[in-house]
PDB file of all heavy atoms in Angstrom:
ATOM      1  N   LEU A 148      -6.646  15.186  -6.516  1.00 95.00           N
ATOM      2  CA  LEU A 148      -5.918  13.922  -6.650  1.00 95.00           C
ATOM      3  C   LEU A 148      -4.542  13.962  -5.982  1.00 95.00           C
ATOM      4  O   LEU A 148      -4.012  12.925  -5.581  1.00 95.00           O
ATOM      5  CB  LEU A 148      -5.771  13.542  -8.120  1.00 95.00           C
ATOM      6  CG  LEU A 148      -7.069  13.234  -8.855  1.00 95.00           C
ATOM      7  CD1 LEU A 148      -6.783  12.923 -10.324  1.00 95.00           C
ATOM      8  CD2 LEU A 148      -7.821  12.084  -8.205  1.00 95.00           C
ATOM      9  N   ALA A 149      -3.993  15.153  -5.835  1.00 97.00           N
ATOM     10  CA  ALA A 149      -2.676  15.292  -5.196  1.00 97.00           C
ATOM     11  C   ALA A 149      -2.691  14.808  -3.759  1.00 97.00           C
ATOM     12  O   ALA A 149      -1.643  14.451  -3.207  1.00 97.00           O
ATOM     13  CB  ALA A 149      -2.206  16.738  -5.268  1.00 97.00           C
ATOM     14  N   LYS A 150      -3.876  14.732  -3.138  1.00 97.00           N
ATOM     15  CA  LYS A 150      -3.969  14.204  -1.770  1.00 97.00           C
ATOM     16  C   LYS A 150      -3.476  12.762  -1.710  1.00 97.00           C
ATOM     17  O   LYS A 150      -3.006  12.314  -0.669  1.00 97.00           O
ATOM     18  CB  LYS A 150      -5.404  14.292  -1.252  1.00 97.00           C
ATOM     19  CG  LYS A 150      -5.893  15.702  -1.021  1.00 97.00           C
ATOM     20  CD  LYS A 150      -7.237  15.738  -0.329  1.00 97.00           C
ATOM     21  CE  LYS A 150      -8.373  15.538  -1.282  1.00 97.00           C
ATOM     22  NZ  LYS A 150      -9.707  15.658  -0.669  1.00 97.00           N
ATOM     23  N   LEU A 151      -3.577  12.048  -2.826  1.00 98.00           N
ATOM     24  CA  LEU A 151      -3.047  10.682  -2.897  1.00 98.00           C
ATOM     25  C   LEU A 151      -1.693  10.666  -3.591  1.00 98.00           C
ATOM     26  O   LEU A 151      -0.765  10.004  -3.136  1.00 98.00           O
ATOM     27  CB  LEU A 151      -4.002   9.749  -3.659  1.00 98.00           C
ATOM     28  CG  LEU A 151      -3.424   8.363  -3.943  1.00 98.00           C
ATOM     29  CD1 LEU A 151      -3.363   7.534  -2.668  1.00 98.00           C
ATOM     30  CD2 LEU A 151      -4.224   7.657  -5.000  1.00 98.00           C
ATOM     31  N   VAL A 152      -1.571  11.391  -4.680  1.00 98.00           N
ATOM     32  CA  VAL A 152      -0.358  11.343  -5.502  1.00 98.00           C
ATOM     33  C   VAL A 152       0.874  11.795  -4.719  1.00 98.00           C
ATOM     34  O   VAL A 152       1.922  11.149  -4.787  1.00 98.00           O
ATOM     35  CB  VAL A 152      -0.524  12.188  -6.789  1.00 98.00           C
ATOM     36  CG1 VAL A 152       0.778  12.279  -7.565  1.00 98.00           C
ATOM     37  CG2 VAL A 152      -1.619  11.594  -7.668  1.00 98.00           C
ATOM     38  N   ALA A 153       0.768  12.857  -3.952  1.00 98.00           N
ATOM     39  CA  ALA A 153       1.940  13.376  -3.234  1.00 98.00           C
ATOM     40  C   ALA A 153       2.502  12.369  -2.231  1.00 98.00           C
ATOM     41  O   ALA A 153       3.693  12.037  -2.290  1.00 98.00           O
ATOM     42  CB  ALA A 153       1.606  14.706  -2.571  1.00 98.00           C
ATOM     43  N   PRO A 154       1.702  11.844  -1.310  1.00 98.00           N
ATOM     44  CA  PRO A 154       2.288  10.901  -0.351  1.00 98.00           C
ATOM     45  C   PRO A 154       2.720   9.581  -0.991  1.00 98.00           C
ATOM     46  O   PRO A 154       3.733   9.005  -0.585  1.00 98.00           O
ATOM     47  CB  PRO A 154       1.178  10.680   0.678  1.00 98.00           C
ATOM     48  CG  PRO A 154      -0.080  11.089   0.019  1.00 98.00           C
ATOM     49  CD  PRO A 154       0.300  12.143  -0.980  1.00 98.00           C
ATOM     50  N   LEU A 155       1.993   9.122  -1.982  1.00 98.00           N
ATOM     51  CA  LEU A 155       2.381   7.871  -2.636  1.00 98.00           C
ATOM     52  C   LEU A 155       3.688   8.063  -3.389  1.00 98.00           C
ATOM     53  O   LEU A 155       4.588   7.219  -3.314  1.00 98.00           O
ATOM     54  CB  LEU A 155       1.267   7.380  -3.565  1.00 98.00           C
ATOM     55  CG  LEU A 155       1.485   6.049  -4.274  1.00 98.00           C
ATOM     56  CD1 LEU A 155       1.856   4.927  -3.310  1.00 98.00           C
ATOM     57  CD2 LEU A 155       0.234   5.664  -5.071  1.00 98.00           C
ATOM     58  N   SER A 156       3.831   9.184  -4.089  1.00 98.00           N
ATOM     59  CA  SER A 156       5.070   9.463  -4.827  1.00 98.00           C
ATOM     60  C   SER A 156       6.279   9.500  -3.903  1.00 98.00           C
ATOM     61  O   SER A 156       7.348   9.002  -4.250  1.00 98.00           O
ATOM     62  CB  SER A 156       4.957  10.797  -5.573  1.00 98.00           C
ATOM     63  OG  SER A 156       3.997  10.732  -6.585  1.00 98.00           O
ATOM     64  N   LYS A 157       6.114  10.101  -2.717  1.00 97.00           N
ATOM     65  CA  LYS A 157       7.224  10.179  -1.761  1.00 97.00           C
ATOM     66  C   LYS A 157       7.680   8.797  -1.306  1.00 97.00           C
ATOM     67  O   LYS A 157       8.849   8.604  -0.980  1.00 97.00           O
ATOM     68  CB  LYS A 157       6.814  10.998  -0.535  1.00 97.00           C
ATOM     69  CG  LYS A 157       6.747  12.470  -0.783  1.00 97.00           C
ATOM     70  CD  LYS A 157       6.350  13.201   0.488  1.00 97.00           C
ATOM     71  CE  LYS A 157       6.140  14.669   0.210  1.00 97.00           C
ATOM     72  NZ  LYS A 157       5.647  15.382   1.394  1.00 97.00           N
ATOM     73  N   ALA A 158       6.763   7.845  -1.283  1.00 97.00           N
ATOM     74  CA  ALA A 158       7.079   6.500  -0.800  1.00 97.00           C
ATOM     75  C   ALA A 158       7.654   5.595  -1.890  1.00 97.00           C
ATOM     76  O   ALA A 158       8.122   4.499  -1.591  1.00 97.00           O
ATOM     77  CB  ALA A 158       5.819   5.854  -0.216  1.00 97.00           C
ATOM     78  N   LEU A 159       7.639   6.054  -3.144  1.00 98.00           N
ATOM     79  CA  LEU A 159       8.083   5.219  -4.261  1.00 98.00           C
ATOM     80  C   LEU A 159       9.550   5.424  -4.588  1.00 98.00           C
ATOM     81  O   LEU A 159      10.094   6.515  -4.394  1.00 98.00           O
ATOM     82  CB  LEU A 159       7.256   5.533  -5.514  1.00 98.00           C
ATOM     83  CG  LEU A 159       5.769   5.208  -5.439  1.00 98.00           C
ATOM     84  CD1 LEU A 159       5.043   5.768  -6.660  1.00 98.00           C
ATOM     85  CD2 LEU A 159       5.556   3.712  -5.312  1.00 98.00           C
TER      86      LEU A 159
END
Side-chain angles (χ1 to χ4, degrees):
L148 295 178
K150 292 188 278 184
L151 172 73
V152 173
L155 183 52
S156 294
K157 286 181 186 175
L159 296 171

